[in-house]
Amino acid sequence: MPDLDPFLFGEIDPPQRLLMGPGPVNAHPRVLRAMSADLLGQFDPEMTGYMEQVMALYRPLFGTENRWTFLVDGTARAGIEAALVSLVAPGETMLVIDFGRFGLLLREIGERIGATVEMLSVPWGEVVPLEAVEAAIARTGPRLVASVHGDTSTTMAQPLDGIGALAAAAGAFSYVDATATIGGMALAVDRWGVDVVTGGLQKCLGGPSGSAPITVSDRAAAHIFERRHVERGIARDDLVAGPGPRIASNYFDLAMVMDYWSEKRLNHHTEATTMLYGARECARVALGEGLEARYARHAAAGRAVTAGARALGLTVFGDDRHRMANVTGIYIPEGVDGERVRLRMREDFEIEIGTAFGPLAGKVWRIGAMGYNAMKHKVLITLGALEAVLRAEGYKAPAGAGVDAALEAWG
Ligand SMILES: *Cc1c(COP(=O)(O)O)cnc(C)c1O
């Protein structure tokens, strides 16, 4: 075999794109710097000290006092899968509050587990009323009620106050996927009374994908420890197989992951050191800014994108009352080729905006302003570029109107 020229592919040197889609977004430079720090052994006291700090740093981001607040190694989906596989067993019923693509993902994972999945669905662009959740719980008698908080596919945020109590009153656990909102909209895990909530770094936390923060209530943790099993062939005297059905995944067995994050430090996987550094810095950046200020910044960015789009004569997708702060759906106007616009945004302006899935594919663009990119100048630059591209594509956009309206709406 001929030798592969080591210079053939060049050093990694990506273009400086401004990522204004539904995620991932550009990482905060402090996060990237933290991720270049030297590695540690997984039981090094410095390393376990950082793990403790991460637990403390993520509690306020989730709005919880939960002891079990830690990281699942993997992208946000790893957190979702760990939560579901640990909370629902084959044959048990899982009720999904479904208002977009990530509701469908919950169903897909539930079905793989072998759960009986009941869907409580509304059309894309709407959210599910609490009374409908209550009725569906009464009708289906679930073991688990699962929802998404902000679904980037529809740009809607599901109201969650009262959901946890409804589930608990019916003897069910509750789960929420807050990947797209953590760090950008207030999470109130304790007030919602939700048992398990998971997130990711690559949306409003302004980090790379690859780590899934998770928080687990004491009640859910007790259930998960009940279901624990012994890793075969490894002496773990303090572990006994619980009475329930064994969790089908080793990597996502939260009882084992929590044993590793506890003072027992029982070996499971090798903690992804570099991702932990990144997750830690994401939280430090967010708490350093102040959570209220951070949520207000995301809300201002969302208002500005919405106002700017409307001033350009464009129509914004979905119910205004339930819009996420950080991602906005905009209808592609009649006669305009949506993919050509995205191409010109990328090639002429180095700006990425999002396409859409499912029933919205080809109909809507999604503009995100999250984390390090939820900034006034980045929103203005994006709207200015969009206007120029739309005009070049023959759409009659009023000159300067988008940027002017966005500036005013930012406040
Ligand atoms: C972006 C997003 C995810 C992404 O999961 P990854 O595994 O990190 O790609 C999951 N859930 C929601 C609601 C999201 O918006």
Side-chain angles (χ1 to χ4, degrees), residues 256-275:
M256 298 172 93
V257 179
M258 289 190 287
D259 276 342
Y260 176 36
W261 281 80
S262 78
E263 41 310 318
K264 293 190 208 158
R265 300 287 171 212
L266 292 181
N267 177 248
H268 178 240
H269 63 292
T270 309
E271 182 52 21
T273 317
T274 302
M275 285 313 305

Side-chain angles (χ1 to χ4, degrees), residues 203-406:
K203 310 271 168 87
C204 301
L205 282 171
S209 70
S211 178
I214 185 170
T215 189
V216 180
S217 70
D218 286 347
R219 185 173 92 97
H223 173 74
I224 291 165
F225 281 126
E226 273 271 289
R227 288 182 64 194
R228 79 158 89 225
H229 71 268
V230 184
E231 213 173 335
R232 252 185 282 180
I234 298 179
R236 295 178 63 158
D237 300 341
D238 56 332
L239 297 189
V240 286
R246 166 171 154 148
I247 290 170
S249 171
N250 174 295
Y251 190 67
F252 292 137
D253 184 337
L254 285 180
M256 298 172 93
V257 179
M258 289 190 287
D259 276 342
Y260 176 36
W261 281 80
S262 78
E263 41 310 318
K264 293 190 208 158
R265 300 287 171 212
L266 292 181
N267 177 248
H268 178 240
H269 63 292
T270 309
E271 182 52 21
T273 317
T274 302
M275 285 313 305
L276 180 128
Y277 294 167
R280 178 179 177 279
E281 196 60 16
C282 283
R284 268 172 36 85
V285 169
L287 298 179
E289 177 176 2
L291 291 180
E292 288 313 315
R294 190 176 178 91
Y295 301 146
R297 177 164 64 81
H298 281 83
R303 271 199 318 274
V305 172
T306 306
R310 285 182 172 145
L312 289 174
L314 302 169
T315 305
V316 174
F317 173 77
D319 185 339
D320 266 339
R321 289 165 305 165
H322 298 297
R323 198 179 298 297
M324 291 167 72
N326 44 297
V327 52
T328 308
I330 299 172
Y331 279 101
I332 299 165
E334 196 79 35
V336 169
D337 179 341
E339 281 310 295
R340 255 188 77 78
V341 167
R342 292 200 329 117
L343 183 80
R344 290 182 80 143
M345 288 289 281
R346 189 175 71 232
E347 292 197 338
D348 294 337
F349 292 93
E350 298 283 348
I351 298 174
E352 177 180 285
I353 62 169
T355 170
F357 301 109
L360 300 182
K363 296 191 181 133
V364 161
W365 296 300
R366 290 176 302 153
I367 297 190
M370 307 194 228
Y372 190 56
N373 287 354
M375 293 219 232
K376 193 197 262 181
H377 69 283
K378 296 184 183 181
V379 167
L380 299 179
I381 288 167
T382 302
L383 287 166
L386 181 64
E387 180 201 313
V389 169
L390 281 173
R391 242 171 319 120
E393 289 291 312
Y395 174 80
K396 302 267 174 294
V403 171
D404 286 352

Side-chain angles (χ1 to χ4, degrees), residues 22-23 75-78 80 102 105 148-153 177-180 200 202-203 209-210 324:
T75 70
R77 192 177 293 239
I80 301 170
F102 288 103
L105 175 64
V148 175
H149 183 209
D151 197 314
T152 42
S153 68
D177 171 8
T179 304
Q202 77 268 32
K203 310 271 168 87
S209 70
M324 291 167 72

Side-chain angles (χ1 to χ4, degrees), residues 87-88 170 174 212 236 336 406:
L87 286 174
V88 72
S174 48
R236 295 178 63 158
V336 169

